[in-house]
Amino acid sequence: MTRFHEIVAGAARRGVLLLLALAPTVCTADSALDLRTALRLARDAELQSALDAASLAAVEADRRSASAHPNPVISYGRLRPGRASTMFDGSRQQDVAIEQPLLLGGQRRARMEAAERAVDAARARVAVSRMTRAADAALAFVSLQAAQSRQAAATVGLNRLEDIVASASMNPAAHPYAEQRLAFERADWRAALSAADAELAAARQRLADMLDITDWRTLVVVPLNPLDLVAANGERSGERSDHLALHAARLEETAAEAAGRAARAERFPQVSLGLIRSWTSEPYGIADGVSVSVELPLFDRRDGAVDRADALAAGARLQRQLLEAEIDLDARRNQIEVAMRSDALAAFDAEVGPRLQALLRLAGDAYRNDSAGPADLIDALRAQQRATLRRIELEEGLLRAQIRLLLARSELPSLLD
C-alpha cells in the first residue's frame, strides 16, 4: 500500500470522528473559556457595571431629596421713616422674620413613596440590563465557538489536501489535469482558511470587548456543543411571574402610579408659617408676631403635572401588558424553533454520518483498485468538508435558539448558578 493509499484509508476511518470532534484539536478543557464563565464576565463587565451603578446612584439621590423637609427662609428689613412714624414713634425700625414652608396634604409621604418605588424600578432595570448583557455575550460566545470550529475544519481539510498533493506528486504518470486540479484545490482551500482565520479573529475581538479581556488573541472557548436544557434549567417550568423583564415592567408601573399620587398631593396649596420680631430705636420698642401665608391656586392648579403623571402611568401599564404578550409569544416561538433544530441535527447525525463514512471508504477502495483518481478523492474530501460545516451550522443554530429560549423564559441566569 502506497503512502497515498494509507492517507485515504485513514481519512475513511476518521470521517465521522471529524464531524464530532473538530474543536478539541484547537483547545483543551483546562485552558478554554466556557459559557458559564463568559456569562459571569459579561454580567460584571467593569464599564457597564459602573454605568448601572451611576444610574442607580442618581435615583437613590432623588430618594434622599424626597425625604428632606423644606428649608426655612429668613428675611431682614430696616426702614427710616420720613414723615410717618414708626412703631412706638421710633426714629428707625428693624424687622426679622423666619418663615417655614409646611408640607401638608401628605406631600412628603407621597414624595418618599414615589422615590422609593423609583429606586425599586431602577434596581430591576439594572437586573434586566445585566441579563441582556449576558445574553449578548452568550450569542457572541456561540459565534466564536462556530468560527473556531470552522477554522479547525479548514485547517484539518487543508492538511489532508496537502498530504494528497504530496502523495500524488510522487506518481510520475500523473495527468497534467490532475496536477492543475490539485494546485487549484490547494489554493482555494488556503483562501478558505484565510477567510476562516479572519472570521475567528473578528469573533474573538467582539467577545473579548464584551468580557473586558485585553488580549483577544489568546481567547479560546470550549468546543461547540448544544445545551442540555433540562439540566441547565433545573427542570424549571419558566413561569412568567419569574421573568426579570416582566418584574421590572411591573415595578415601573408601580413607580408611575406612585408618581401620580405624588402629583396629586402636590396640588395642595403651599402653606408657610412665619415668626416676626420688630423693634425700634429712639425710643426702643419691641413686638413679636406670627404670620401664615397660603397659596391661592387661581392660575395654576398643577393639573398639567397630574395629567402627565396619569399618561405615564397608563403608558407603563400598556407596556407591561404588551411585554406579557411578547414574553408568551417569544417563549412559544423559541420552543418550537429549538424542537425543530434539535430534530434537524438528530436527522443529520443519523443520515449523513454513516453515508459520509461509506463515501470515504469507497473512495479509498476505488483508488486502490485504480478505478478512481485524485480528483475523486478530492470530491470525497470536499463532501466531508461540506458535511462538517453543515453540522457546525446546525449546532450553532440550535445553540442560538436555546439561548434565546432561556432569555425568553428569563432562565439564562440559571446557567450562572
Side-chain angles (χ1 to χ4, degrees):
M1 180 180 294
T2 66
R3 169 62 178 163
F4 186 63
H5 293 158
E6 294 175 356
I7 293 173
V8 174
R13 288 192 300 268
R14 297 190 299 268
V16 176
L17 294 179
L18 178 65
L19 292 174
L20 302 176
L22 276 176
T25 63
V26 296
C27 65
T28 62
D30 295 334
S31 61
L33 181 71
D34 59 10
L35 180 58
R36 191 183 303 272
T37 304
L39 291 177
R40 289 197 183 99
L41 292 175
R43 181 191 61 183
D44 301 329
E46 182 177 357
L47 185 59
Q48 291 293 338
S49 297
L51 183 60
D52 291 339
S55 62
L56 185 58
V59 181
E60 290 177 341
D62 291 339
R63 179 177 59 181
R64 291 194 298 272
S65 297
S67 62
H69 291 277
N71 293 320
V73 179
I74 185 170
S75 60
Y76 169 78
R78 178 174 177 173
L79 62 90
R80 184 184 294 271
R83 296 179 180 177
S85 299
T86 64
M87 181 179 61
F88 304 120
D89 293 327
S91 61
R92 294 185 305 276
Q93 179 175 328
Q94 302 180 68
D95 302 290
V96 173
I98 297 179
E99 187 175 4
Q100 175 63 52
L102 303 179
L103 296 179
L104 304 179
Q107 290 177 337
R108 182 171 179 269
R109 182 175 60 254
R111 290 178 185 177
M112 293 177 59
E113 181 188 3
E116 191 67 37
R117 300 292 79 78
V119 170
D120 294 339
R123 288 173 178 167
R125 286 195 301 270
V126 168
V128 172
S129 175
R130 298 176 74 184
M131 184 178 68
T132 302
R133 292 201 305 270
D136 292 341
L139 294 176
F141 182 89
V142 174
S143 297
L144 178 54
Q145 285 182 309
Q148 190 172 266
S149 297
R150 281 190 284 267
Q151 194 271 350
T155 301
V156 172
L158 180 59
N159 291 337
R160 292 183 176 178
L161 181 61
E162 294 287 359
D163 290 340
I164 293 176
V165 172
S167 298
S169 64
M170 295 184 297
N171 184 6
H175 193 276
Y177 169 77
E179 295 178 356
Q180 291 298 323
R181 174 68 186 278
L182 289 174
F184 167 78
E185 290 292 341
R186 180 166 56 182
D188 184 62
W189 217 294
R190 285 175 177 173
L193 179 58
S194 297
D197 288 338
E199 179 191 4
L200 178 59
R204 280 176 173 168
Q205 285 180 320
R206 182 167 184 266
L207 184 60
D209 291 340
M210 290 183 174
L211 306 185
D212 289 340
I213 296 177
T214 304
D215 190 3
W216 60 268
R217 294 177 180 83
T218 62
L219 182 58
V220 179
V221 296
V222 297
L224 186 65
N225 188 31
L227 298 172
D228 183 357
L229 290 186
V230 175
N233 300 341
E235 298 184 355
R236 292 176 58 190
S237 59
E239 293 293 335
R240 191 177 65 179
S241 59
D242 297 334
H243 200 285
L244 283 179
L246 184 56
H247 177 64
R250 292 191 180 114
L251 291 179
E252 292 281 3
E253 182 181 0
T254 302
E257 293 172 350
R261 290 191 293 270
R264 284 176 171 79
E266 296 293 342
R267 297 180 65 183
F268 194 89
Q270 294 181 1
V271 179
S272 298
L273 178 64
L275 299 177
I276 305 172
R277 166 158 290 192
S278 300
W279 68 95
T280 62
S281 301
E282 299 176 359
Y284 175 78
I286 188 171
D288 294 323
V290 177
S291 68
V292 176
S293 61
V294 180
E295 177 191 19
L296 298 179
L298 298 179
F299 307 109
D300 182 14
R301 299 179 58 86
R302 300 182 183 88
D303 293 333
V306 174
D307 293 341
R308 182 179 184 275
D310 290 341
L312 292 177
R317 183 165 52 255
L318 292 174
Q319 184 66 32
R320 187 259 306 165
Q321 295 172 353
L322 179 61
L323 185 60
E324 288 178 347
E326 289 178 348
I327 287 173
D328 291 337
L329 291 175
D330 286 345
R332 287 197 295 267
R333 181 171 59 249
N334 286 287
Q335 181 65 56
I336 294 174
E337 182 181 0
V338 167
M340 295 182 67
R341 288 186 179 275
S342 297
D343 293 342
L345 181 59
F348 179 89
D349 289 339
E351 298 177 6
V352 177
R355 287 179 173 82
L356 178 61
Q357 187 179 24
L359 175 64
L360 296 174
R361 184 178 63 253
L362 292 173
D365 294 340
Y367 185 83
R368 285 192 294 272
N369 296 330
D370 295 329
S371 60
D376 298 305
L377 296 173
I378 292 175
D379 289 339
L381 186 60
R382 283 282 184 185
Q384 182 187 39
Q385 181 72 1
R386 287 197 306 271
T388 300
L389 295 179
R390 177 65 66 185
R391 192 176 196 280
I392 293 173
E393 179 184 352
L394 291 173
E395 283 190 318
E396 180 185 10
L398 174 57
L399 188 50
R400 284 180 170 275
Q402 289 176 330
I403 290 173
R404 287 193 297 268
L405 177 59
L406 291 177
L407 181 62
R409 292 177 172 176
S410 192
E411 294 175 350
L412 193 62
S414 64
L415 297 178
L416 300 171
D417 297 337

